[in-house]
Amino acid sequence: MKRYVGIDLGTTNTVASILEISQEGELLPRVIDIGQFNEDYEYIYDKILPSCLYVDESGNQYVGRIAQSMKVKEPERVIYNSKNYIGTSGYFWEIDRKLFSPEEVAALILKEAKQSLEREIGEEVVNAVITVPASFNHDQIRATKKAAKMAGFDEQNTYFISEPTAALLDFINTEKKLPQNKRHLDFSRPRKMLVFDFGGGTCDVSILEVQMTDKDFIVEEIAISSHTLVGGINFDLMGSIYLLEKCSKEMGDLFDSENEKRHVYNRMVCEMEKARKFFSISVGEEVIYENIVENFIKGKPYKFKISNKEYEECIRPLLVKEGNMGYNVVDPILDTLEKAGLMIQDIDDVLLTGGMSNYKPVRNVIEKLFMKKALISLHPMFSVARGAAIYHYLSEKLNKGNNNIKIEPVLASNIYIDIKNGLPFLIVSQGTKAPYEREYDKILRVTNATGMRLDVFSGKNLWDPKMKRLKSVQLNFSKLIKPGTPISLKISFDRNRILTLSAWVVASTEQRVQVAIGEESENYEH
């Protein structure tokens, strides 16, 4: 029996899933156990692999539960939240004079998932679908692709899908199995759905148009949010600041050194994470989280105590647009609606997924904004991985030219190319659906007889203060080219949301450069 593989490479946790097809043709995704060491150095199996790396004093590398526990004990030897830095050129962590890039950390995490998949299936796994935030740019997607290759996946047969779209595929598959009278939604007509994927490190929003009939399976992205680093960790940090102030009032001056301060703060953040999870599953008006931590500071124990009402007051700035943090959970939703040219009332349904979707204050804010009840994923921690495995199966059908299946990703930002003595020229608009290809004839002119530089940017608009340079490519001409000679461009955008740019001198077609936007800059001689 052929099996299909999906991996949710999360900021906080990683999950792997296998899809099997029943004799009746039903899609049956299931999350597998991933092998890892726990804090007692016992080898265990768990469906959740914390996305952390720990390097001990002997140089041994551990991914998962043990690394998560070491964030408190040996924080200088632990790398976590590395996904937030993937695709950032020149970013490294140093442990014992060894440098670790975000791609290397991601590769080690993916390798653990790969080995457990192979143990489960009983054969080598080289093809998979790996999820990325919908808001990931070209650098970040290419860096994730590089990490997958380093982990042993086949570069040509590894596909990427946005996390909200994967979660939606799992929801649709679950709905499809229900009797007609038990289904939450009627997909026989097109529906505009907003998927709010709220995890440990990021907040991802996608608006999609969905239609499903006996023959057709259509999921089209309309717009996706900008990359928003708001997640469970931000809630933990806000709660920790509050608890530190409370603790200092009770215990006086807490810190004798920076190391002691970091140790106490890490302990506080870990405790707030436990409190947040406790509140997310608790019911009642007044709920209190309590826990005594031995040897908390200066050999003394400390009793953590915080009510759900205190906690909700702490994190309120993250839940309202007028909050003083500069970021919140509402802005990504409004930003995505603006990109799509839609109003709140244009959205038919809202689907919540991710670990934080269980947290009632978050759900209340979104339901109040849309003035309707939100749908909650049945598998909030696992739906993205399950949906990735479903997409692995569907992508095989897409590759065979099945016209009844349509899953179309969109470009997150506008793409511009710099034109000397003028404003950058828009070559691909945000919201463009993949696959896409277009040629621009004689768009540029040679400015130097021996070569010229092409600069490619992405941004919301021409005046975007966060406009990012994606690529600088130097074209070195093998023969002298007369200044003023026109240059043509071809831009391609594939299903993995990776852009490729070709440029050539019109008068000399052999002088051509082709580069995938997001790779490291190089000089090209032709």
Side-chain angles (χ1 to χ4, degrees), residues 2 4 159 392-405 495:
K2 185 165 184 179
Y4 301 88
Y159 304 106
H392 197 194
Y393 164 75
L394 295 173
S395 65
E396 184 178 88
K397 289 185 171 293
L398 286 168
N399 291 339
K400 291 177 180 178
N402 189 318
N403 295 325
N404 298 116
I405 296 174
R495 274 173 40 212

Side-chain angles (χ1 to χ4, degrees), residues 386-483:
R386 288 164 55 94
I390 292 168
Y391 182 66
H392 197 194
Y393 164 75
L394 295 173
S395 65
E396 184 178 88
K397 289 185 171 293
L398 286 168
N399 291 339
K400 291 177 180 178
N402 189 318
N403 295 325
N404 298 116
I405 296 174
K406 187 187 289 185
I407 301 174
E408 295 183 334
V410 298
L411 191 64
S413 302
N414 291 324
I415 304 298
Y416 301 89
I417 190 160
D418 193 33
I419 295 178
K420 193 173 182 181
N421 301 323
L423 288 171
F425 180 78
L426 177 67
I427 53 175
V428 193
S429 300
Q430 67 181 24
T432 297
K433 294 177 182 177
Y436 173 85
E437 190 173 276
R438 181 174 176 181
E439 287 191 10
Y440 290 92
D441 189 35
K442 303 178 182 179
I443 189 175
L444 299 172
R445 300 269 171 185
V446 172
T447 55
N448 186 296
T450 59
M452 65 182 293
R453 193 176 78 174
L454 296 179
D455 291 320
V456 184
F457 300 88
S458 72
K460 199 171 182 179
N461 53 51
L462 283 173
W463 297 274
D464 186 353
K466 296 180 180 178
M467 179 85 79
K468 181 179 180 182
R469 186 195 303 273
L470 292 178
K471 193 71 182 175
S472 291
V473 182
Q474 182 68 33
L475 279 71
N476 296 318
F477 305 137
S478 57
K479 301 174 185 176
L480 294 179
I481 301 294
K482 183 180 177 180

Side-chain angles (χ1 to χ4, degrees), residues 76-90:
E76 70 284 353
R77 293 188 164 276
V78 179
I79 299 171
Y80 57 97
N81 291 347
S82 58
K83 182 178 168 182
N84 289 341
Y85 305 96
I86 199 163
T88 304
S89 180

Side-chain angles (χ1 to χ4, degrees), residues 206-421:
S206 287
I207 299 174
L208 307 99
E209 187 158 275
V210 183
Q211 187 173 14
M212 184 176 63
T213 64
D214 291 339
K215 290 184 178 179
D216 298 319
F217 190 104
I218 300 170
V219 178
E220 297 179 86
E221 288 181 357
I222 299 174
I224 53 184
S225 62
S226 303
H227 196 47
T228 310
L229 297 179
V230 180
I233 183 64
N234 300 91
F235 285 67
D236 299 339
L237 295 174
M238 294 287 286
S240 298
I241 292 168
Y242 169 79
L243 276 184
L244 277 172
E245 291 175 355
K246 191 175 180 180
C247 183
S248 62
K249 288 176 183 177
E250 296 173 15
M251 301 181 70
D253 187 18
L254 295 176
F255 314 118
D256 292 332
S257 66
E258 278 301 312
N259 281 340
E260 193 170 62
K261 182 178 180 180
R262 187 166 63 245
H263 171 79
V264 169
Y265 190 65
N266 284 334
R267 291 286 292 273
M268 203 70 87
V269 171
C270 289
E271 206 59 37
M272 279 310 310
E273 182 181 5
K274 294 175 187 176
R276 169 169 56 85
K277 291 177 179 178
F278 173 76
F279 292 141
S280 71
I281 60 173
S282 300
V283 292
E285 287 294 317
E286 184 75 22
V287 180
I288 296 174
Y289 173 81
E290 293 182 277
N291 188 34
I292 297 175
V293 178
E294 300 295 338
N295 194 27
F296 174 64
I297 184 169
K298 299 174 183 176
K300 297 179 182 177
Y302 181 71
K303 183 179 182 180
F304 289 90
K305 183 177 180 180
I306 184 170
S307 71
N308 58 334
K309 291 186 176 179
E310 285 178 289
Y311 181 64
E312 286 171 24
E313 189 58 34
C314 293
I315 53 90
R316 188 176 181 277
L318 296 170
L319 298 176
V320 293
K321 185 167 177 57
E322 62 271 18
N324 58 5
M325 296 300 296
Y327 48 82
N328 55 71
V329 301
V330 178
D331 280 340
I333 295 173
L334 300 179
D335 172 64
T336 312
L337 286 166
E338 183 185 347
K339 282 184 178 181
L342 297 173
M343 306 292 286
I344 283 173
Q345 56 267 30
D346 295 325
I347 300 299
D348 295 308
D349 313 288
V350 178
L351 173 65
L352 306 184
T353 189
M356 286 295 291
S357 64
N358 276 330
Y359 188 47
K360 191 175 178 181
V362 172
R363 194 163 67 244
N364 289 345
V365 164
I366 294 171
E367 290 181 342
K368 184 178 179 181
L369 179 66
F370 285 94
M371 295 176 289
K372 66 179 68 177
K373 191 82 172 170
L375 300 163
I376 309 292
S377 170
L378 287 178
H379 321 94
M381 292 291 292
F382 306 132
S383 61
V384 171
R386 288 164 55 94
I390 292 168
Y391 182 66
H392 197 194
Y393 164 75
L394 295 173
S395 65
E396 184 178 88
K397 289 185 171 293
L398 286 168
N399 291 339
K400 291 177 180 178
N402 189 318
N403 295 325
N404 298 116
I405 296 174
K406 187 187 289 185
I407 301 174
E408 295 183 334
V410 298
L411 191 64
S413 302
N414 291 324
I415 304 298
Y416 301 89
I417 190 160
D418 193 33
I419 295 178
K420 193 173 182 181
N421 301 323

